[in-house]
mmCIF file of all heavy atoms in Angstrom:
data_model
loop_
_atom_site.group_PDB
_atom_site.id
_atom_site.type_symbol
_atom_site.label_atom_id
_atom_site.label_comp_id
_atom_site.label_asym_id
_atom_site.label_seq_id
_atom_site.Cartn_x
_atom_site.Cartn_y
_atom_site.Cartn_z
ATOM 1 N N GLY A 184 141.540 -13.002 -107.038
ATOM 2 C CA GLY A 184 141.111 -14.096 -108.084
ATOM 3 C C GLY A 184 140.278 -13.662 -109.245
ATOM 4 O O GLY A 184 139.592 -14.441 -109.905
ATOM 5 N N MET A 185 140.266 -12.359 -109.520
ATOM 6 C CA MET A 185 139.446 -11.864 -110.638
ATOM 7 C C MET A 185 139.911 -12.286 -111.922
ATOM 8 O O MET A 185 141.229 -12.416 -112.154
ATOM 9 C CB MET A 185 139.563 -10.332 -110.608
ATOM 10 C CG MET A 185 138.706 -9.763 -109.611
ATOM 11 S SD MET A 185 138.558 -8.013 -109.772
ATOM 12 C CE MET A 185 137.730 -7.628 -108.230
ATOM 13 N N THR A 186 139.164 -12.637 -112.788
ATOM 14 C CA THR A 186 139.475 -13.137 -114.217
ATOM 15 C C THR A 186 138.516 -12.434 -115.260
ATOM 16 O O THR A 186 138.976 -12.436 -116.452
ATOM 17 C CB THR A 186 139.405 -14.673 -114.378
ATOM 18 O OG1 THR A 186 137.971 -15.025 -114.169
ATOM 19 C CG2 THR A 186 140.343 -15.407 -113.314
ATOM 20 N N ARG A 187 137.451 -11.878 -114.920
ATOM 21 C CA ARG A 187 136.502 -11.399 -115.927
ATOM 22 C C ARG A 187 136.587 -9.917 -116.029
ATOM 23 O O ARG A 187 136.686 -9.168 -115.096
ATOM 24 C CB ARG A 187 135.067 -11.802 -115.560
ATOM 25 C CG ARG A 187 134.851 -13.249 -115.584
ATOM 26 C CD ARG A 187 133.404 -13.647 -115.267
ATOM 27 N NE ARG A 187 133.210 -15.107 -115.483
ATOM 28 C CZ ARG A 187 132.804 -15.573 -116.503
ATOM 29 N NH1 ARG A 187 132.431 -14.904 -117.558
ATOM 30 N NH2 ARG A 187 132.645 -16.845 -116.601
ATOM 31 N N PHE A 188 136.502 -9.511 -117.314
ATOM 32 C CA PHE A 188 136.561 -8.059 -117.705
ATOM 33 C C PHE A 188 135.642 -7.234 -116.805
ATOM 34 O O PHE A 188 135.997 -6.280 -116.206
ATOM 35 C CB PHE A 188 136.237 -7.916 -119.200
ATOM 36 C CG PHE A 188 136.437 -6.541 -119.679
ATOM 37 C CD1 PHE A 188 137.621 -6.180 -120.344
ATOM 38 C CD2 PHE A 188 135.370 -5.502 -119.472
ATOM 39 C CE1 PHE A 188 137.824 -4.943 -120.820
ATOM 40 C CE2 PHE A 188 135.620 -4.309 -120.017
ATOM 41 C CZ PHE A 188 136.800 -4.015 -120.644
ATOM 42 N N SER A 189 134.397 -7.785 -116.632
ATOM 43 C CA SER A 189 133.311 -6.986 -116.004
ATOM 44 C C SER A 189 133.654 -6.909 -114.441
ATOM 45 O O SER A 189 133.320 -5.764 -113.956
ATOM 46 C CB SER A 189 131.983 -7.691 -116.134
ATOM 47 O OG SER A 189 131.984 -9.006 -115.706
ATOM 48 N N ASP A 190 134.324 -7.879 -113.947
ATOM 49 C CA ASP A 190 134.789 -7.744 -112.486
ATOM 50 C C ASP A 190 135.711 -6.727 -112.226
ATOM 51 O O ASP A 190 135.753 -5.875 -111.376
ATOM 52 C CB ASP A 190 135.237 -9.088 -111.910
ATOM 53 C CG ASP A 190 134.048 -10.187 -111.983
ATOM 54 O OD1 ASP A 190 132.843 -9.728 -111.838
ATOM 55 O OD2 ASP A 190 134.372 -11.382 -111.972
ATOM 56 N N PHE A 191 136.759 -6.696 -113.197
ATOM 57 C CA PHE A 191 137.832 -5.756 -113.102
ATOM 58 C C PHE A 191 137.202 -4.386 -113.236
ATOM 59 O O PHE A 191 137.497 -3.392 -112.506
ATOM 60 C CB PHE A 191 138.925 -5.899 -114.133
ATOM 61 C CG PHE A 191 139.883 -7.112 -113.921
ATOM 62 C CD1 PHE A 191 139.783 -8.175 -114.823
ATOM 63 C CD2 PHE A 191 140.711 -7.086 -112.856
ATOM 64 C CE1 PHE A 191 140.591 -9.283 -114.622
ATOM 65 C CE2 PHE A 191 141.614 -8.264 -112.750
ATOM 66 C CZ PHE A 191 141.421 -9.364 -113.558
ATOM 67 N N GLU A 192 136.321 -4.181 -114.246
ATOM 68 C CA GLU A 192 135.682 -2.872 -114.583
ATOM 69 C C GLU A 192 134.885 -2.385 -113.413
ATOM 70 O O GLU A 192 134.987 -1.198 -112.958
ATOM 71 C CB GLU A 192 134.930 -3.050 -115.889
ATOM 72 C CG GLU A 192 134.266 -1.746 -116.248
ATOM 73 C CD GLU A 192 133.301 -1.871 -117.461
ATOM 74 O OE1 GLU A 192 132.907 -3.056 -117.750
ATOM 75 O OE2 GLU A 192 133.164 -0.886 -118.232
ATOM 76 N N ARG A 193 134.150 -3.244 -112.873
ATOM 77 C CA ARG A 193 133.250 -2.850 -111.622
ATOM 78 C C ARG A 193 134.048 -2.551 -110.536
ATOM 79 O O ARG A 193 133.871 -1.469 -109.793
ATOM 80 C CB ARG A 193 132.288 -4.021 -111.448
ATOM 81 C CG ARG A 193 131.177 -3.617 -110.326
ATOM 82 C CD ARG A 193 130.075 -4.738 -110.137
ATOM 83 N NE ARG A 193 130.615 -6.142 -110.297
ATOM 84 C CZ ARG A 193 130.394 -6.845 -111.389
ATOM 85 N NH1 ARG A 193 129.819 -6.456 -112.468
ATOM 86 N NH2 ARG A 193 130.851 -8.111 -111.348
ATOM 87 N N ARG A 194 135.007 -3.328 -110.079
ATOM 88 C CA ARG A 194 135.736 -3.164 -108.912
ATOM 89 C C ARG A 194 136.752 -1.970 -108.934
ATOM 90 O O ARG A 194 136.793 -1.149 -108.004
ATOM 91 C CB ARG A 194 136.517 -4.371 -108.552
ATOM 92 C CG ARG A 194 137.460 -4.293 -107.414
ATOM 93 C CD ARG A 194 136.793 -4.306 -106.024
ATOM 94 N NE ARG A 194 136.099 -5.570 -105.697
ATOM 95 C CZ ARG A 194 136.673 -6.601 -105.122
ATOM 96 N NH1 ARG A 194 137.889 -6.537 -104.682
ATOM 97 N NH2 ARG A 194 135.960 -7.621 -104.893
ATOM 98 N N LEU A 195 137.289 -1.685 -110.016
ATOM 99 C CA LEU A 195 138.284 -0.643 -110.158
ATOM 100 C C LEU A 195 137.717 0.667 -110.723
ATOM 101 O O LEU A 195 138.264 1.716 -110.437
ATOM 102 C CB LEU A 195 139.438 -1.022 -111.126
ATOM 103 C CG LEU A 195 140.283 -2.204 -110.573
ATOM 104 C CD1 LEU A 195 141.267 -2.712 -111.697
ATOM 105 C CD2 LEU A 195 141.047 -1.738 -109.415
ATOM 106 N N GLY A 196 136.558 0.550 -111.434
ATOM 107 C CA GLY A 196 136.106 1.745 -112.030
ATOM 108 C C GLY A 196 136.892 2.360 -113.156
ATOM 109 O O GLY A 196 136.718 3.585 -113.417
ATOM 110 N N VAL A 197 137.716 1.453 -113.712
ATOM 111 C CA VAL A 197 138.457 1.990 -114.933
ATOM 112 C C VAL A 197 137.710 1.960 -116.197
ATOM 113 O O VAL A 197 136.887 1.080 -116.348
ATOM 114 C CB VAL A 197 139.686 1.016 -114.935
ATOM 115 C CG1 VAL A 197 139.361 -0.512 -115.204
ATOM 116 C CG2 VAL A 197 140.682 1.419 -116.096
ATOM 117 N N ALA A 198 137.958 2.853 -117.086
ATOM 118 C CA ALA A 198 137.172 3.005 -118.386
ATOM 119 C C ALA A 198 137.460 1.682 -119.113
ATOM 120 O O ALA A 198 138.576 1.152 -119.105
ATOM 121 C CB ALA A 198 137.722 4.141 -119.174
ATOM 122 N N PRO A 199 136.454 1.230 -119.842
ATOM 123 C CA PRO A 199 136.511 -0.051 -120.593
ATOM 124 C C PRO A 199 137.665 -0.092 -121.506
ATOM 125 O O PRO A 199 138.186 -1.041 -121.810
ATOM 126 C CB PRO A 199 135.054 -0.213 -121.103
ATOM 127 C CG PRO A 199 134.245 0.637 -120.440
ATOM 128 C CD PRO A 199 135.128 1.752 -119.831
ATOM 129 N N ASN A 200 137.812 1.110 -122.324
ATOM 130 C CA ASN A 200 138.929 1.074 -123.309
ATOM 131 C C ASN A 200 140.283 0.938 -122.711
ATOM 132 O O ASN A 200 141.125 0.297 -123.225
ATOM 133 C CB ASN A 200 138.774 2.376 -124.209
ATOM 134 C CG ASN A 200 138.969 3.583 -123.335
ATOM 135 O OD1 ASN A 200 138.476 3.744 -122.284
ATOM 136 N ND2 ASN A 200 139.635 4.570 -124.015
ATOM 137 N N ILE A 201 140.410 1.526 -121.538
ATOM 138 C CA ILE A 201 141.758 1.521 -120.865
ATOM 139 C C ILE A 201 142.005 0.029 -120.395
ATOM 140 O O ILE A 201 143.055 -0.567 -120.466
ATOM 141 C CB ILE A 201 141.885 2.426 -119.756
ATOM 142 C CG1 ILE A 201 141.685 3.954 -120.240
ATOM 143 C CG2 ILE A 201 143.058 2.178 -118.861
ATOM 144 C CD1 ILE A 201 142.924 4.354 -121.123
ATOM 145 N N LEU A 202 140.918 -0.461 -119.794
ATOM 146 C CA LEU A 202 140.941 -1.899 -119.232
ATOM 147 C C LEU A 202 141.277 -2.818 -120.333
ATOM 148 O O LEU A 202 142.243 -3.735 -120.154
ATOM 149 C CB LEU A 202 139.733 -2.209 -118.500
ATOM 150 C CG LEU A 202 139.591 -3.619 -117.926
ATOM 151 C CD1 LEU A 202 140.729 -3.901 -116.863
ATOM 152 C CD2 LEU A 202 138.250 -3.911 -117.226
ATOM 153 N N ALA A 203 140.618 -2.716 -121.435
ATOM 154 C CA ALA A 203 140.863 -3.567 -122.613
ATOM 155 C C ALA A 203 142.310 -3.513 -123.033
ATOM 156 O O ALA A 203 142.926 -4.578 -123.365
ATOM 157 C CB ALA A 203 139.817 -3.349 -123.705
ATOM 158 N N LYS A 204 142.759 -2.305 -123.154
ATOM 159 C CA LYS A 204 144.132 -2.145 -123.621
ATOM 160 C C LYS A 204 145.066 -2.738 -122.628
ATOM 161 O O LYS A 204 146.095 -3.457 -123.097
ATOM 162 C CB LYS A 204 144.483 -0.596 -123.726
ATOM 163 C CG LYS A 204 145.834 -0.355 -124.278
ATOM 164 C CD LYS A 204 146.018 1.163 -124.406
ATOM 165 C CE LYS A 204 147.461 1.484 -124.955
ATOM 166 N NZ LYS A 204 147.746 2.826 -125.130
ATOM 167 N N ARG A 205 144.927 -2.624 -121.341
ATOM 168 C CA ARG A 205 145.885 -3.206 -120.330
ATOM 169 C C ARG A 205 145.808 -4.808 -120.384
ATOM 170 O O ARG A 205 146.829 -5.402 -120.459
ATOM 171 C CB ARG A 205 145.542 -2.659 -118.944
ATOM 172 C CG ARG A 205 145.647 -1.206 -118.625
ATOM 173 C CD ARG A 205 147.081 -0.718 -118.914
ATOM 174 N NE ARG A 205 147.038 0.660 -118.539
ATOM 175 C CZ ARG A 205 146.843 1.693 -119.518
ATOM 176 N NH1 ARG A 205 146.592 1.293 -120.772
ATOM 177 N NH2 ARG A 205 146.948 2.911 -119.091
ATOM 178 N N LEU A 206 144.611 -5.226 -120.399
ATOM 179 C CA LEU A 206 144.393 -6.796 -120.453
ATOM 180 C C LEU A 206 145.073 -7.285 -121.716
ATOM 181 O O LEU A 206 145.730 -8.320 -121.725
ATOM 182 C CB LEU A 206 143.075 -7.087 -120.222
ATOM 183 C CG LEU A 206 142.330 -6.897 -118.835
ATOM 184 C CD1 LEU A 206 140.839 -7.089 -118.900
ATOM 185 C CD2 LEU A 206 143.035 -7.664 -117.757
ATOM 186 N N ASP A 207 144.760 -6.632 -122.822
ATOM 187 C CA ASP A 207 145.391 -7.163 -124.129
ATOM 188 C C ASP A 207 146.918 -7.022 -124.047
ATOM 189 O O ASP A 207 147.596 -8.101 -124.502
ATOM 190 C CB ASP A 207 144.884 -6.404 -125.245
ATOM 191 C CG ASP A 207 143.386 -6.716 -125.519
ATOM 192 O OD1 ASP A 207 142.866 -7.619 -125.093
ATOM 193 O OD2 ASP A 207 142.812 -5.778 -126.336
ATOM 194 N N GLY A 208 147.447 -6.000 -123.369
ATOM 195 C CA GLY A 208 148.827 -5.880 -123.330
ATOM 196 C C GLY A 208 149.448 -6.980 -122.399
ATOM 197 O O GLY A 208 150.475 -7.645 -122.788
ATOM 198 N N PHE A 209 148.725 -7.280 -121.257
ATOM 199 C CA PHE A 209 149.151 -8.441 -120.432
ATOM 200 C C PHE A 209 149.226 -9.742 -121.091
ATOM 201 O O PHE A 209 150.131 -10.605 -121.051
ATOM 202 C CB PHE A 209 148.340 -8.497 -119.156
ATOM 203 C CG PHE A 209 148.367 -7.307 -118.239
ATOM 204 C CD1 PHE A 209 147.258 -7.060 -117.422
ATOM 205 C CD2 PHE A 209 149.419 -6.415 -118.283
ATOM 206 C CE1 PHE A 209 147.292 -5.949 -116.613
ATOM 207 C CE2 PHE A 209 149.429 -5.386 -117.328
ATOM 208 C CZ PHE A 209 148.406 -5.038 -116.491
ATOM 209 N N VAL A 210 148.168 -9.980 -121.900
ATOM 210 C CA VAL A 210 148.164 -11.255 -122.790
ATOM 211 C C VAL A 210 149.325 -11.224 -123.744
ATOM 212 O O VAL A 210 150.063 -12.148 -123.876
ATOM 213 C CB VAL A 210 146.807 -11.333 -123.523
ATOM 214 C CG1 VAL A 210 146.887 -12.498 -124.572
ATOM 215 C CG2 VAL A 210 145.698 -11.673 -122.480
ATOM 216 N N ALA A 211 149.548 -10.199 -124.408
ATOM 217 C CA ALA A 211 150.614 -10.043 -125.451
ATOM 218 C C ALA A 211 152.025 -10.154 -124.766
ATOM 219 O O ALA A 211 152.919 -10.754 -125.370
ATOM 220 C CB ALA A 211 150.593 -8.669 -126.152
ATOM 221 N N ASP A 212 152.083 -9.716 -123.463
ATOM 222 C CA ASP A 212 153.420 -9.823 -122.750
ATOM 223 C C ASP A 212 153.593 -11.026 -121.984
ATOM 224 O O ASP A 212 154.625 -11.245 -121.220
ATOM 225 C CB ASP A 212 153.642 -8.559 -121.861
ATOM 226 C CG ASP A 212 153.791 -7.280 -122.741
ATOM 227 O OD1 ASP A 212 154.271 -7.392 -123.784
ATOM 228 O OD2 ASP A 212 153.365 -6.217 -122.202
ATOM 229 N N GLY A 213 152.616 -11.909 -122.023
ATOM 230 C CA GLY A 213 152.694 -13.238 -121.313
ATOM 231 C C GLY A 213 152.458 -13.227 -119.896
ATOM 232 O O GLY A 213 152.774 -14.059 -119.172
ATOM 233 N N LEU A 214 151.851 -12.134 -119.336
ATOM 234 C CA LEU A 214 151.375 -12.006 -117.974
ATOM 235 C C LEU A 214 150.090 -12.755 -117.611
ATOM 236 O O LEU A 214 149.811 -13.218 -116.667
ATOM 237 C CB LEU A 214 151.266 -10.539 -117.478
ATOM 238 C CG LEU A 214 152.614 -9.787 -117.510
ATOM 239 C CD1 LEU A 214 152.352 -8.277 -117.287
ATOM 240 C CD2 LEU A 214 153.595 -10.354 -116.618
#
């Protein structure tokens, strides 16, 4: 049920720039 950038970043340990790119891509692709 994660929705917040900070939760994804903390749980996954993914770099913020990569996470932002993936999330923005999901929004652009309608996911």
Side-chain angles (χ1 to χ4, degrees):
M185 286 186 190
T186 60
R187 295 184 175 262
F188 187 97
S189 59
D190 292 337
F191 289 113
E192 183 182 24
R193 185 173 38 260
R194 177 71 67 90
L195 294 171
V197 58
N200 61 320
I201 298 295
L202 179 59
K204 184 177 179 183
R205 297 299 180 271
L206 291 170
D207 290 345
F209 294 158
V210 170
D212 292 331
L214 298 170

